[in-house]
Amino acid sequence: MLIFLSRRLVSSVIALVGVVVVVFFLGRLTGSPAHLYLPQGASQEMADNFNRTHGFNDPLWQQFIRFVGDVAHLDFGTSIWQQRPALTAVTSVFPQTLLLAVVAMTLSIAVAAVLGCLAAARRFGPVDKLITFGSLACASIPDFWFALVGVLFLAVHLGVVPTSGQSDLSSWILPVATLMLAPVGVLTQVVRGAMIEALGSGYVQSARARGLAHRRLVYRHALRNAALPIISVAGDRAAGLVNGAVIVGTVFAWPGIGTVMVDAVLNRDFAVIQAGVFVIGLGIVLLNVLVDLTYAVADPRVRVS
Amino acid sequence: MNMAQELVAGATTAPPVDPGRRGSGRRRRTRLLLRSPLPLTAAIVLVAIMLVSLIAPAFIADAAQRQDLTQRLSPPFQLSDGFAFVLGGDTLGRPMLLQLVVATKTSLLIAALSVGLSALVGSAIGLISGYTGGWVDALIMRLSDIIHTLPSLLLALVILYVLSPSITNLIVVLALTRLPIYMRVARAQALEIRERVFVEASKALGSRPWRIMLRDIRPMVAPTVLTVAMLEVANVILQAAGLSFLGVGLQRPDVDLGIMVASGREYLSEAWFVTFFPGLLVVVIALAANILSNWLRAVDDPGQSALFVSRKSLRDEEVSR
């Protein structure tokens, strides 16, 4: 188990290092990054000055070593727009996004588990067909449009939720629903597939032969064994939640990494983009480790091997 | 020698199903499609949308861009202003209906080109990676991990920030973010196929690696990649619309469905239809594509999808067993 975990950790760290390298070279893709860091309309003089003070005239490898050194000190430069360290600008809002993502993912898994079990229990029946169609529909709705239509109905027409911002509990409804859209669609299908397999397997059949109640059979025996693929896909989907967070940030003016990243793009604040990509990459790597650990908890065989 | 090589190559380029059944498989699919109402509807809707959006813009492109401020945000479902305004007027008084047609064409083109590009490049890289193995494989797979680690929207956002947004860059970025999927699929297949006897035979006959990859392995990987690409169309349409919505995708005066949704945002309470219709069109296109690709998979593997298997046919199958 430890060997497995450490191997996964090593490959994750390699991916993270790769992300840092990619970010560095992306910034230099179009020559000097001065025009990326400086506000639009900056004069040539300013650019030259900037290049000199930040050493962008040095050979690329020297710049790269310096960049790696800075990153090792968690120094991503200063946000031009917010006038504070870029990393602080990102980490100060990251918990907000994390909270939203955890709430959305937990609810998604719960909803998908119920729907998937219902569909699998009456396989190919009308309920199954309805749920499968619904999950396909969920995966076909653009989240930004869903968010806007939600605002139109719930906020503008019914007035039960605020149009934007973070206030009481009702302000969470639309952002969470928007984030849940894609994961619910995918996870329901995964749960259904895993449950059909589990329900058809020997131990469930023998439990049924022993006369166990159907409900107990489905939820205690089959669902537990169907948990692994569900966890794995849920972990994979979690990276996609950042996509949703960007949309939620722009549509609902929801404080979080999404708003910061989009603002950074609109205000040409490259330092914040760098820091943001690093923090999100780190978050996803940590999440993958967490998923592996959950695997071990859910499946004793992983723990032994 | 050369003839023998041709013989071996000819025998081995056959897909998993032998060539004789390939045509009948297509015919079987067509027959099945005509009998299943939901996928048939999806196919008809998709083909209709494609035909209209490919042909019509040639005639209405000018009319779609014409601004008539008296029609600004004019409400839908009124024929008094002519059929072009049946879905209302947009924020600058352009006819929504015609704008939608033009925007659909752009959205479909972007999706088709980027799916094609990533399928082609991704499967080529995956094939080379899987067949060659060794450090090339390890390096390529790490690269795929890196692309996979970053959320696709974020990656696209950053790249489009560095390169300026344009339709070409948008297509390339969309293709890049979806590369790992094809790389993995093609690699997994190539890993398995290269151990088969006919590859051995081809090698023994003196085929060079590129020939084995191109003539022996590629035809066997192609169907799987095609299935994945079908599945990806809907995803890419959604993603492209999302980028345009955020303002980093397509730029005016070009227009796609994502830009149209975004343009109505400020007017949500006065003119819901400016936002509603383009998004609805995205849903219709994506849902039809999803249903079709789901059905295509179900045809090959009937255990997969609930939508296209009736309980009765399942019972028949069990009885006949």
Side-chain angles (χ1 to χ4, degrees):
Chain A
M1 178 60 207
L2 268 178
I3 298 169
F4 167 74
L5 202 63
S6 59
R7 195 181 301 145
R8 282 298 300 258
L9 205 60
V10 166
S11 75
S12 308
V13 168
I14 291 176
L16 190 63
V17 170
V19 167
V20 172
V21 174
V22 165
V23 165
F24 173 82
F25 283 106
L26 260 182
R28 271 106 190 129
L29 208 62
T30 48
S32 160
H35 73 279
L36 293 182
Y37 285 95
L38 293 174
Q40 227 145 16
S43 66
Q44 186 60 40
E45 218 172 305
M46 280 167 78
D48 289 340
N49 201 12
F50 182 82
N51 277 341
R52 225 179 356 261
T53 46
H54 290 84
F56 285 129
N57 294 327
D58 296 341
L60 202 60
W61 64 269
Q62 280 184 11
Q63 288 186 43
F64 183 65
I65 289 174
R66 199 165 44 232
F67 174 74
V68 171
D70 285 348
V71 169
H73 292 106
L74 293 177
D75 176 9
F76 287 88
T78 307
S79 161
I80 301 161
W81 182 58
Q82 300 191 29
Q83 289 300 328
R84 56 176 173 164
L87 193 65
T88 320
V90 171
T91 49
S92 62
V93 294
F94 196 62
Q96 294 279 350
T97 305
L98 207 60
L99 184 62
L100 186 67
V102 167
V103 170
M105 206 56 192
T106 315
L107 283 176
S108 299
I109 293 174
V111 170
V114 172
L115 290 180
C117 286
L118 279 176
R122 295 273 178 275
R123 191 181 171 194
F124 301 130
V127 175
D128 187 14
K129 286 199 156 76
L130 194 71
I131 289 175
T132 302
F133 185 80
S135 72
L136 273 184
C138 272
S140 307
I141 299 175
D143 46 5
F144 58 91
W145 181 74
F146 177 84
L148 287 175
V149 172
V151 168
L152 185 66
F153 281 109
L154 294 184
V156 176
H157 283 301
L158 297 177
V160 287
V161 300
T163 49
S164 68
Q166 187 184 33
S167 51
D168 58 346
L169 206 61
S170 67
S171 71
W172 284 71
I173 294 175
L174 280 176
V176 169
T178 305
L179 275 190
M180 282 174 64
L181 201 60
V184 165
V186 174
L187 283 175
T188 303
Q189 284 305 299
V190 174
V191 174
R192 177 182 174 272
M195 281 301 286
I196 284 173
E197 207 186 313
L199 284 173
S201 60
Y203 59 85
V204 171
Q205 304 232 316
S206 79
R208 183 173 287 155
R210 287 203 309 273
L212 255 69
H214 181 72
R215 182 166 298 181
R216 192 182 159 84
L217 199 77
V218 169
Y219 290 103
R220 283 292 291 278
H221 291 256
L223 187 60
R224 254 189 150 168
N225 283 281
L228 283 185
I230 300 170
I231 294 170
S232 140
V233 175
D236 216 41
R237 279 278 132 182
L241 283 179
V242 178
N243 295 343
V246 173
I247 297 292
V248 165
T250 40
V251 174
F252 301 109
W254 187 268
I257 197 99
T259 330
V260 168
M261 290 303 276
V262 172
D263 278 346
V265 167
L266 295 179
N267 293 296
R268 305 202 63 76
D269 200 348
F270 193 70
V272 171
I273 292 180
Q274 266 183 347
V277 169
F278 178 78
V279 169
I280 290 168
L282 184 69
I284 289 167
V285 164
L286 288 179
L287 182 90
N288 284 336
V289 174
L290 199 70
V291 167
D292 288 343
L293 283 175
T294 322
Y295 251 76
V297 174
D299 187 352
R301 284 169 301 183
V302 178
R303 238 175 297 165
V304 176
S305 69
Chain B
M1 179 65 205
N2 209 0
M3 230 179 96
Q5 201 172 349
E6 284 301 316
L7 256 174
V8 172
T12 52
T13 44
V17 190
D18 62 278
R21 272 191 57 201
R22 210 175 169 195
S24 73
R26 197 169 295 156
R27 226 175 299 145
R28 179 176 146 252
R29 264 180 213 169
T30 321
R31 210 177 52 232
L32 276 174
L33 184 64
L34 289 176
R35 278 197 315 202
S36 20
L38 190 61
L40 185 64
T41 318
I44 291 172
V45 166
L46 216 53
V47 169
I49 290 177
M50 273 197 276
L51 281 180
V52 169
S53 68
L54 281 182
I55 297 168
F59 305 104
I60 58 159
D62 290 336
Q65 292 298 333
R66 195 174 302 134
Q67 297 172 7
D68 176 1
L69 288 180
T70 59
Q71 293 294 342
R72 195 171 164 272
L73 304 181
S74 66
F77 308 127
Q78 291 174 347
L79 284 170
S80 56
D81 306 314
F83 188 65
F85 285 95
V86 71
L87 295 181
D90 77 353
T91 52
L92 290 172
R94 289 166 294 206
M96 280 289 288
L97 180 66
L98 306 189
Q99 283 264 307
L100 278 175
V101 173
V102 176
T104 307
K105 179 192 174 186
T106 321
S107 283
L108 287 179
L109 269 183
I110 292 173
L113 287 176
S114 60
V115 166
L117 185 66
S118 57
L120 212 65
V121 176
S123 56
I125 297 175
L127 213 159
I128 294 169
S129 178
Y131 183 75
T132 320
W135 66 269
V136 177
D137 184 35
L139 184 75
I140 289 175
M141 280 304 112
R142 285 290 90 79
L143 277 177
S144 136
D145 277 353
I146 291 169
I147 300 178
H148 201 74
T149 300
L150 287 173
S152 52
L153 190 60
L154 192 70
L155 191 66
L157 207 66
V158 174
I159 297 175
L160 286 172
Y161 170 82
V162 175
L163 313 169
S164 55
S166 73
I167 189 160
T168 325
N169 285 345
L170 182 64
I171 290 169
V172 171
V173 164
L174 284 171
L176 183 76
T177 55
R178 314 305 294 190
L179 268 187
I181 300 158
Y182 302 100
M183 281 161 72
R184 279 166 198 197
V185 167
R187 175 179 174 266
Q189 290 249 307
L191 269 179
E192 191 247 324
I193 296 167
R194 75 166 182 196
E195 305 298 333
R196 301 247 187 115
V197 179
F198 73 85
V199 175
E200 262 333 282
S202 189
K203 232 185 267 178
L205 284 167
S207 299
R208 292 180 180 277
W210 63 263
R211 190 194 162 87
I212 296 176
M213 280 189 256
L214 225 59
R215 295 291 297 269
D216 298 339
I217 300 183
R218 182 192 54 81
M220 297 187 70
V221 176
T224 322
V225 171
L226 217 62
T227 314
V228 176
M230 278 292 296
L231 211 64
E232 280 285 295
V233 170
N235 286 340
V236 171
I237 286 177
L238 292 183
Q239 214 188 351
L243 284 171
S244 293
F245 173 78
L246 288 175
V248 294
L250 221 58
Q251 306 290 317
R252 294 269 185 187
D254 287 331
V255 56
D256 73 351
L257 293 169
I259 289 185
M260 287 190 72
V261 173
S263 73
R265 238 184 99 185
E266 306 296 321
Y267 305 92
L268 205 56
S269 48
E270 314 134 60
W272 55 275
F273 49 90
V274 181
T275 295
F276 188 78
F277 289 136
L280 191 66
L281 201 52
V282 176
V283 177
V284 169
I285 295 171
L287 187 59
N290 268 332
I291 287 174
L292 258 189
S293 63
N294 218 283
W295 174 79
L296 268 180
R297 265 191 313 170
V299 168
D300 297 329
D301 180 8
Q304 286 249 328
S305 179
L307 284 177
F308 316 115
V309 181
S310 68
R311 283 180 146 176
K312 189 177 164 297
S313 69
L314 210 71
R315 271 201 302 275
D316 295 346
E317 204 175 294
E318 268 165 25
V319 169
S320 69
R321 231 185 256 158

